[in-house]
Amino acid sequence: MSEIKYYSEEGLQKLKDELHHLIAFDRPAAAAAIAEARDKGDLSENAEYDAAKEAQGHLEARISKLQELVANARLLDESKIDTSKVLLLSRINIRNVKNNMKQSYQIVPESEADLKQGKISISSPFAQAFLGKKAGDKVEVVVPAGKMDFEILSIER
């Protein structure tokens, strides 16, 4: 049985868009590459044909994986997220207690994590330290460089 995964509306749409692109554009291109390589002669010694078939296999595996993910995806209703404590899709504004540096992160499903955009995976140790905490709570996070202390300034949707 496949695992159910939760996505934001934006994250699920990205998956659907990628799946559509692979089926509508990449799959026909892969078939054309195989046909072109097949036209070049003896298939038993045609490296281009072998490469095109292998690329098609990888493409079909990716399409299959995305179809499974979309079929088992569940959409999170962001309007129903409790902002009194840190949960999945919460945006947290925190302050490093030691140096007073303020940061803002959103806790997202693994597949949507992007540190450059301030989105951290719910399965990361950093996010795990904040889950269930409330604004004003002090949180100790263990990182490779040691322990860091943060204060949660606010929680938003």
Side-chain angles (χ1 to χ4, degrees):
M1 176 133 189
S2 297
E3 182 181 352
I4 291 175
K5 293 200 177 209
Y6 293 90
Y7 294 91
S8 65
E9 191 171 338
E10 175 187 347
L12 183 57
Q13 189 58 50
K14 279 184 180 180
L15 279 180
K16 289 179 178 180
D17 290 347
E18 181 182 356
L19 179 60
H20 172 71
H21 187 273
L22 291 175
I23 292 172
F25 300 102
D26 292 355
R27 185 182 269 167
I34 290 170
E36 183 181 325
R38 188 180 310 130
D39 290 343
K40 294 187 177 176
D42 185 11
L43 297 182
S44 65
E45 295 180 14
N46 189 334
E48 191 175 335
Y49 177 78
D50 291 339
K53 288 295 283 181
E54 185 175 336
Q56 181 189 39
H58 290 298
L59 174 66
E60 291 302 326
R62 180 69 182 148
I63 288 172
S64 177
K65 177 72 174 167
L66 284 174
Q67 287 173 329
E68 183 180 330
L69 284 174
V70 169
N72 294 305
R74 299 296 181 265
L75 190 60
L76 291 167
D77 186 353
E78 294 182 48
S79 67
K80 294 183 180 178
I81 292 176
D82 180 6
T83 56
S84 69
K85 58 185 174 186
V86 179
L87 301 168
L88 181 62
L89 295 185
S90 293
R91 176 163 294 285
I92 57 172
N93 297 301
I94 58 175
R95 179 180 64 84
N96 184 318
V97 174
K98 186 175 181 180
N99 64 14
N100 262 348
M101 188 173 139
K102 293 179 182 177
Q103 299 165 303
S104 179
Y105 295 105
Q106 183 176 23
I107 299 175
V108 297
E110 285 181 47
S111 61
E112 298 179 37
D114 183 351
L115 193 55
K116 289 180 183 176
Q117 293 183 353
K119 296 180 176 186
I120 57 174
S121 169
I122 191 165
S123 62
S124 71
F126 192 82
Q128 288 289 311
F130 289 94
L131 288 178
K133 303 291 192 286
K134 298 179 185 233
D137 285 354
K138 303 268 195 257
V139 179
E140 182 179 83
V141 180
V142 179
V143 295
K147 294 180 183 176
M148 298 177 72
D149 293 313
F150 294 93
E151 177 184 6
I152 300 175
L153 301 174
S154 65
I155 303 167
E156 304 166 0
R157 222 174 355 120

